[in-house]
Amino acid sequence: TRLQSNLQIAYLSSTGYNWASASFSLRNGWGRGAFRLANVRVTWYDGVSNYTVTDGSYAGGGFSIRSDIRATGNIRSWSNSSRKVAKITLKKYNTNGKWGRYKTKVVLQRKAGGKWKKVKTLKLNRKGKVTYSFRSSKRYKYRFVVQATKTTVGGKFTTRGKS
């Protein structure tokens, strides 16, 4: 798998200061985390000749590549009971190009008075799953919050309807 990134490049030529669009590819096997640009090589064609310029002195801009996550889950409730069961399964996109297990912590929140309030921090098992039973006589809207890391994006996953 390759990731494509578009760039805006500024350069100085005999006609003045100009902008150009460019792109570069990142290989999935390079992993996730922080990347730094260094030894920049620019190649272009002006209609007559090909040109290549390498600037080894430039070592500046950086960027991060993070794995995506997917969540499936819900809050189950019963009409004749205050008991509720929260379930979530998380998967992350791995460097081998496949979705795999993601063991982390998620925060279960409920919306009360227009604000999201923490219900419980849940620890996922090695398969990336957790089930949590609790009681609440009121019906709320719930969501699961996953914190971002250096190598994985975070997210907020809201359940459907009120439970």
Side-chain angles (χ1 to χ4, degrees), residues 99-153:
W99 291 92
R101 301 170 178 148
Y102 185 42
K103 182 181 176 181
T104 187
K105 291 180 182 178
V106 297
V107 177
L108 176 62
Q109 296 179 334
R110 71 176 180 211
K111 195 167 193 177
K115 294 186 178 183
W116 289 99
K117 311 246 183 193
K118 177 179 168 182
V119 175
K120 180 86 172 171
T121 299
L122 307 170
K123 191 174 183 180
L124 279 68
N125 65 17
R126 62 185 176 85
K127 293 183 180 180
K129 297 180 179 186
V130 71
T131 300
Y132 172 65
S133 293
F134 62 102
R135 293 194 178 273
S136 175
S137 57
K138 289 189 176 182
R139 291 169 43 102
Y140 295 101
K141 190 160 188 73
Y142 291 90
R143 74 177 180 184
F144 296 97
V145 179
V146 181
Q147 288 292 326
T149 67
K150 289 182 180 181
T151 58
T152 308
V153 297

Side-chain angles (χ1 to χ4, degrees), residues 1-4 25-36 63-69 91-100 102 148-153:
T1 305
R2 285 188 169 193
L3 304 170
Q4 188 81 11
S25 295
L26 295 167
R27 295 179 195 276
N28 201 23
W30 291 350
R32 304 290 185 261
F35 288 82
R36 186 175 63 87
F63 58 94
S64 291
I65 299 292
R66 295 180 178 180
S67 289
D68 195 13
I69 57 175
K91 293 188 177 210
K92 78 171 182 171
Y93 192 73
N94 292 320
T95 56
N96 64 3
K98 297 180 180 176
W99 291 92
Y102 185 42
T149 67
K150 289 182 180 181
T151 58
T152 308
V153 297

Side-chain angles (χ1 to χ4, degrees), residues 3-86:
L3 304 170
Q4 188 81 11
S5 179
N6 293 322
L7 304 170
Q8 284 285 329
I9 297 175
Y11 63 94
L12 191 60
S13 69
S14 60
T15 59
Y17 196 68
N18 295 298
W19 288 92
S21 293
S23 66
F24 64 94
S25 295
L26 295 167
R27 295 179 195 276
N28 201 23
W30 291 350
R32 304 290 185 261
F35 288 82
R36 186 175 63 87
L37 296 178
N39 299 323
V40 176
R41 184 178 74 199
V42 179
T43 304
W44 73 93
Y45 178 71
D46 69 355
V48 179
S49 301
N50 286 322
Y51 297 94
T52 300
V53 175
T54 302
D55 183 359
S57 67
Y58 179 79
F63 58 94
S64 291
I65 299 292
R66 295 180 178 180
S67 289
D68 195 13
I69 57 175
R70 280 187 185 164
T72 55
N74 62 17
I75 304 287
R76 188 168 175 204
S77 62
W78 293 265
S79 59
N80 60 350
S81 174
S82 63
R83 181 173 175 253
K84 297 177 186 194
V85 176

